[in-house]
Amino acid sequence: MNIEGLDYNTEREKLILPEYGREIQKMVEHAMALTSREERQKCAETIIAVMERMLPHNRDNADYKRKLWDHLAIMSDFKLDIDYPFDISEAAKITTKPQPMVYPMNRIPVRHYGHLIFKMLEKLKNMEPGQERDDLAQITALQMKRDLMQWSHGASSDEKVVADMARFTDGIIQLDLNALQNARFTMPASKPTGGRKGKRRANH
């Protein structure tokens, strides 16, 4: 059914800044079409006033006015010839799309442990024997155990963690199965912060 005057947003020209709506975009286009610079200036200031009423919750921002003029410049594709009260040279950065993030493509022997686990295993291989290495080995093992549980390895996870820990550290880390089964990861106790309470305790 074709009704004169009735159209859909999907058939209309794409808005540059949709948050302001199509009427503001039309006002910007009208301002650009004015031949008198003075008229364009007055029209631009009127558009800014309307935009300000549309977004009153942003008035507390320090750069609120500058952002409105930046948006006006963007909606005109920087073709609106007026005297801007602010420098709009940086406005183009607002609409610049960020560069896509590079996804790490490091190959790991088994995916269910994840890249960080293998970084920890590599670190364990190069650590000197001692309490620090033992603590890191236990933390790593418990995380490996959680990962296996998430992948439904169930009761066999303890034996597999011991075997995998030895395998991926070239036999350097040999966990005790019974110790792993009874291990519970606890965060180290936090130190008391400074302040009146801490000072008060210190005085008693």
Side-chain angles (χ1 to χ4, degrees), residues 112 147-157 160:
H112 53 256
D147 293 338
L148 289 174
M149 292 294 288
Q150 288 181 345
W151 285 85
S152 303
H153 284 269
S156 64
S157 61
K160 184 165 179 57

Side-chain angles (χ1 to χ4, degrees), residues 51-194:
M51 292 165 63
E52 190 172 3
R53 286 196 294 270
M54 292 177 65
L55 303 172
H57 54 280
N58 291 330
R59 286 179 181 172
D60 294 334
N61 295 340
D63 60 344
Y64 175 58
K65 281 281 190 181
R66 176 189 294 275
K67 187 173 292 185
L68 291 178
W69 286 98
D70 284 347
H71 288 174
L72 177 61
I74 292 169
M75 284 189 285
S76 70
D77 195 23
F78 298 92
K79 296 175 182 176
L80 181 58
D81 185 16
I82 58 171
D83 295 321
Y84 288 90
F86 300 98
D87 179 15
I88 61 167
S89 60
E90 300 293 315
K93 293 181 179 179
I94 297 175
T95 56
T96 303
K97 293 183 178 181
Q99 293 294 324
M101 295 182 65
V102 179
Y103 190 80
M105 299 300 291
N106 299 322
R107 293 185 176 274
I108 54 178
V110 286
R111 292 187 177 183
H112 53 256
Y113 284 137
H115 178 62
L116 291 179
I117 287 293
F118 281 94
K119 287 185 69 174
M120 295 172 75
L121 291 171
E122 191 64 29
K123 181 178 178 65
L124 284 167
K125 287 166 59 175
N126 299 292
M127 291 179 68
E128 294 293 330
Q131 189 62 47
E132 185 178 0
R133 191 180 76 173
D134 293 344
D135 290 343
L136 181 59
Q138 184 185 55
I139 294 171
T140 304
L142 289 173
Q143 184 57 51
M144 291 168 68
K145 188 174 178 178
R146 293 189 193 101
D147 293 338
L148 289 174
M149 292 294 288
Q150 288 181 345
W151 285 85
S152 303
H153 284 269
S156 64
S157 61
D158 293 313
E159 293 85 350
K160 184 165 179 57
V161 166
V162 171
D164 286 347
M165 181 77 79
R167 173 188 172 192
F168 295 123
T169 59
D170 299 331
I172 294 174
I173 305 298
Q174 299 288 337
L175 292 177
D176 180 81
L177 178 59
N178 292 328
L180 177 61
Q181 290 173 336
N182 297 324
R184 294 291 183 272
F185 176 65
T186 56
M187 294 294 292
S190 58
K191 296 180 180 179
T193 57

